[in-house]
Amino acid sequence: MKDIFANLYNKVVNFFHQTDEKQANTKNDACNRLKLVLMQDRTNLTPAIMDRMRKELIELLSKYMELDRELLDLSFEHEDEQMALMLSIPVVRAKNEDEINEILAKEDEERKKLEELMNSESSEGDEENSVDNEASDDENQEQTDSEEENSEEGEEQDVKPELTDKEKAFSDEEEENSEDDSDDDEDDEADEEIDNDPTKTKKEKKKEKFFKKKKEEGASQEG
Amino acid sequence: MAGRVIVITSGKGGVGKTTTSANIGTALAKLGNKVVLIDTDIGLRNLDLLLGLENRIVYTIVDVVEERCKLKQALVKDKKNPNLSLLAAAQTRDKTSVTAEQLKDICEQLKKKNDFILVDCPAGIEQGFQNAVAGASEAIVVTTPEMSAVRDADRIIGLLEAKEEIESYKLLLNRVRPQLIEQNDMMSVEDVCEILSTELIGVIPEDTGIITSTNKGEPIVNDEDALAGKAYRNVAHRIMGEDIPLLDLTPKETFLDKIKNFFTKGKV
């Protein structure tokens, strides 16, 4: 007799619990989509440009530490009249000095080569051919310049506070170049489709797990 | 006397700007303030309908601007509420019939003899919006917990911030449905505030009474029992500087909920 009642009770409880779980959580969808679209509205950055900015940032920062590229989180926050760019990327491993120096040395070499190339070309005065090349060389140089500036201070682990200036430099460049760099964009799009919703939700899950793990470990990795 | 000029705006249409103007205006007048409502939605006027004044309009704002009458003549006094008067929009003209300068001038004149001038702004961010904002020093941004309304409100807030004459703006969250929020199917008040990072002046629940009160041409603040009416009366108090907590909108437990809670609690 007791069993029958217990059974019945459980069934009823389960019935009500099921209806609870079935409720879709559309509110979070709305919030997340809104935040993303407002970020674009407020900054005048299109999704494609945002995507490119992310990639360039990752590229830049990866020189100095090993990062979890998948989990980069970029957002803008409104505080009074100021807009702040918030960047958070989990650091997988800090690179040691040798590694960093190696990369930087390589870069310097490349830059020198480019400069030499440019000088030799301009001295030859072959204007018709060199116009296009020069333009792209300029871009590269600008980029390496800005990266160099950051290299002196970039060995610190704390990424967030330094980024705003870099950010501006990049987005400015971006706007100038976005029209003639259609080739690059296509490549980028093929690499990753960050804007797609399905991948995003996966990423978020991964992210949550990651941060839980982090909390458990304590911030020991950072130091 | 130097009255306060408050523009009621939203960007998106249909979120309740006109309803809000009519109700806050009526509530402020009932609290003893001299209030003028200006309908700047020229060509699509409706504020007169919500106040039940549609049959008494002789002159409109365009008549004032084009000097066919004096400003005082164009103000329609509400018989039930002598503190409240309306400056109606012209129905047969468009937004270009009035310039921002002219509206600013009208507001300046009205300020001298009234406590509050509420400007009901048309939807959109074009000329009509620019006109309505011109004379105001405060703004109430009306929005609902829907994505499109919140996005448009964000745009409006951006535009208001760029205007030097607007000293402060606050958010009024309209048509809130506590039941949907409870189910996680609607953004909550906190969500919207966080996204827009703007101070709240009031939360108005969705209320079918709004429709019936519009049918009658009588703002819902006159209905002592209606929840939306109470919420609007609270907003009026807050505008006057009183510190009044937000209404508790958590849905009341129905019989079914009680059974449900009994069982779920029982399990824990």
Side-chain angles (χ1 to χ4, degrees):
Chain A
M1 199 59 177
K2 257 187 189 172
D3 283 354
I4 294 172
F5 274 115
N7 228 341
L8 193 71
Y9 175 80
N10 278 340
K11 267 187 184 165
V12 174
V13 166
N14 282 341
F15 170 77
F16 284 113
H17 263 273
Q18 266 175 359
T19 54
D20 261 358
E21 281 159 18
K22 267 182 200 166
Q23 284 163 358
N25 199 346
T26 55
K27 179 199 97 165
N28 283 351
D29 290 348
C31 282
N32 293 335
R33 288 176 58 211
L34 243 180
K35 279 177 188 163
L36 200 72
V37 86
L38 286 185
M39 193 162 92
Q40 288 159 14
D41 286 355
R42 287 167 183 168
T43 55
N44 300 322
L45 295 174
T46 65
I49 290 179
M50 282 286 291
D51 203 23
R52 201 175 146 167
M53 191 166 95
R54 283 170 59 113
K55 282 202 184 91
E56 284 179 340
L57 271 173
I58 292 175
E59 225 168 87
L60 169 69
L61 296 170
S62 308
K63 289 196 302 189
Y64 307 105
M65 60 201 89
E66 215 169 277
L67 303 164
D68 192 334
R69 292 167 177 247
E70 290 265 298
L71 300 184
L72 177 132
D73 182 30
L74 199 61
S75 67
F76 290 90
E77 271 173 26
H78 235 37
E79 264 173 40
D80 299 324
E81 280 159 40
Q82 278 274 312
M83 189 159 58
L85 182 122
M86 308 298 279
L87 177 83
S88 114
I89 327 177
V91 178
V92 176
R93 186 181 68 87
K95 289 188 175 178
N96 58 39
E97 260 178 67
D98 294 342
E99 281 176 295
I100 295 171
N101 287 335
E102 198 181 318
I103 293 170
L104 293 181
K106 224 184 212 174
E107 217 168 72
D108 285 345
E109 228 171 80
E110 274 172 27
R111 205 175 125 232
K112 265 181 200 164
K113 269 185 197 167
L114 270 175
E115 261 172 29
E116 279 166 24
L117 205 78
M118 240 178 68
N119 287 338
S120 64
E121 264 176 22
S122 58
S123 64
E124 277 169 29
D126 195 350
E127 282 177 3
E128 277 176 37
N129 291 334
S130 65
V131 173
D132 286 348
N133 289 339
E134 244 175 74
S136 62
D137 283 353
D138 278 344
E139 283 166 29
N140 286 337
Q141 214 194 327
E142 259 179 55
Q143 209 163 312
T144 42
D145 280 349
S146 61
E147 281 167 12
E148 272 238 325
E149 281 170 23
N150 297 318
S151 70
E152 285 133 22
E153 41 183 273
E155 289 177 15
E156 299 290 325
Q157 296 275 329
D158 197 357
V159 181
K160 275 185 194 171
E162 305 170 10
L163 272 167
T164 22
D165 287 348
K166 272 187 240 171
E167 219 39 63
K168 275 176 196 160
F170 270 111
S171 58
D172 285 347
E173 258 176 55
E174 204 51 60
E175 269 162 16
E176 284 167 23
N177 302 329
S178 58
E179 278 163 31
D180 25 42
D181 283 354
S182 55
D183 288 359
D184 285 9
D185 281 351
E186 276 169 30
D187 287 347
D188 288 352
E189 275 163 20
D191 283 340
E192 265 181 73
E193 287 172 332
I194 297 176
D195 294 325
N196 281 357
D197 278 338
T199 55
K200 202 182 133 197
T201 48
K202 265 187 205 168
K203 242 194 312 181
E204 277 172 1
K205 277 178 197 166
K206 202 177 163 192
K207 195 173 164 184
E208 271 173 30
K209 276 184 200 166
F210 178 87
F211 282 117
K212 264 186 198 168
K213 230 184 184 179
K214 269 250 154 173
K215 268 183 192 169
E216 284 165 17
E217 288 173 13
S220 61
Q221 212 173 351
E222 299 283 329
Chain B
M1 188 192 291
R4 289 160 65 185
V5 185
I6 307 174
V7 62
I8 290 153
T9 182
S10 74
K12 188 179 179 297
V15 295
K17 283 180 297 299
T18 307
T19 310
T20 299
S21 306
N23 278 292
I24 294 179
T26 308
L28 282 171
K30 283 175 96 178
L31 290 170
N33 300 289
K34 283 202 80 182
V35 181
V36 178
L37 286 166
I38 307 180
D39 189 351
T40 59
D41 203 348
I42 299 168
L44 295 165
R45 80 171 184 212
N46 280 316
L47 192 51
D48 50 339
L49 271 182
L50 299 203
L51 294 165
L53 297 175
E54 69 274 16
N55 293 324
R56 297 188 34 220
I57 290 162
V58 183
Y59 295 112
T60 67
I61 191 167
V62 175
D63 295 318
V64 175
V65 163
E66 293 175 357
E67 292 178 349
R68 274 191 293 274
C69 69
K70 283 181 184 152
L71 179 54
K72 210 176 168 189
Q73 287 175 289
L75 296 178
V76 184
K77 217 172 234 176
D78 188 349
K79 280 178 185 160
K80 289 165 273 177
N81 203 341
N83 277 333
L84 182 70
S85 42
L86 169 73
L87 179 56
Q91 181 67 343
T92 52
R93 305 287 288 272
D94 62 30
K95 309 283 188 278
T96 56
S97 328
V98 176
T99 66
E101 274 307 311
Q102 287 165 334
L103 229 135
K104 203 173 171 180
D105 194 46
I106 289 173
C107 288
E108 286 301 323
Q109 288 183 49
L110 289 173
K111 252 175 161 175
K112 290 173 196 159
K113 290 188 173 174
N114 295 280
D115 300 303
F116 288 98
I117 294 97
L118 301 185
V119 186
D120 181 22
C121 178
I125 52 173
E126 294 84 18
Q127 187 64 44
F129 166 76
Q130 302 293 348
N131 288 350
V133 171
S137 54
E138 294 169 62
I140 293 178
V141 180
V142 183
T143 188
T144 68
E146 287 159 84
M147 291 182 65
S148 48
V150 175
R151 186 188 196 180
D152 291 0
D154 185 71
R155 187 95 169 84
I156 288 290
I157 288 168
L159 293 173
L160 289 176
E161 231 157 47
K163 298 225 174 267
E164 279 176 17
E165 57 267 38
I166 300 291
E167 288 158 13
S168 75
Y169 57 85
K170 286 189 179 146
L171 195 69
L172 187 132
L173 195 56
N174 200 11
R175 311 191 68 166
V176 171
R177 297 170 69 175
Q179 209 109 40
L180 279 185
I181 292 174
E182 192 93 332
Q183 289 170 26
N184 271 331
D185 275 331
M186 183 177 253
M187 283 182 277
S188 67
V189 179
E190 295 78 31
D191 289 330
V192 178
C193 286
E194 188 211 315
I195 287 171
L196 294 176
S197 48
T198 303
E199 201 186 323
L200 209 58
I201 194 148
V203 176
I204 316 292
E206 174 95 338
D207 193 334
T208 48
I210 295 283
I211 296 170
T212 50
S213 77
T214 308
N215 292 346
K216 289 186 283 185
E218 195 173 299
I220 202 164
V221 285
N222 290 331
D223 181 349
E224 291 296 326
D225 300 326
L227 198 58
K230 195 176 178 199
Y232 274 125
R233 285 196 295 275
N234 283 352
V235 173
H237 281 287
R238 285 186 204 113
I239 289 174
M240 290 177 70
E242 292 169 47
D243 191 15
I244 290 178
L246 291 175
L247 276 188
D248 179 25
L249 296 179
T250 45
K252 289 188 185 87
E253 267 187 314
T254 60
F255 181 62
L256 194 74
D257 289 329
K258 274 183 186 159
I259 301 174
K260 202 165 146 182
N261 284 342
F262 173 76
F263 280 111
T264 46
K265 271 176 201 158
K267 207 187 176 187
V268 175

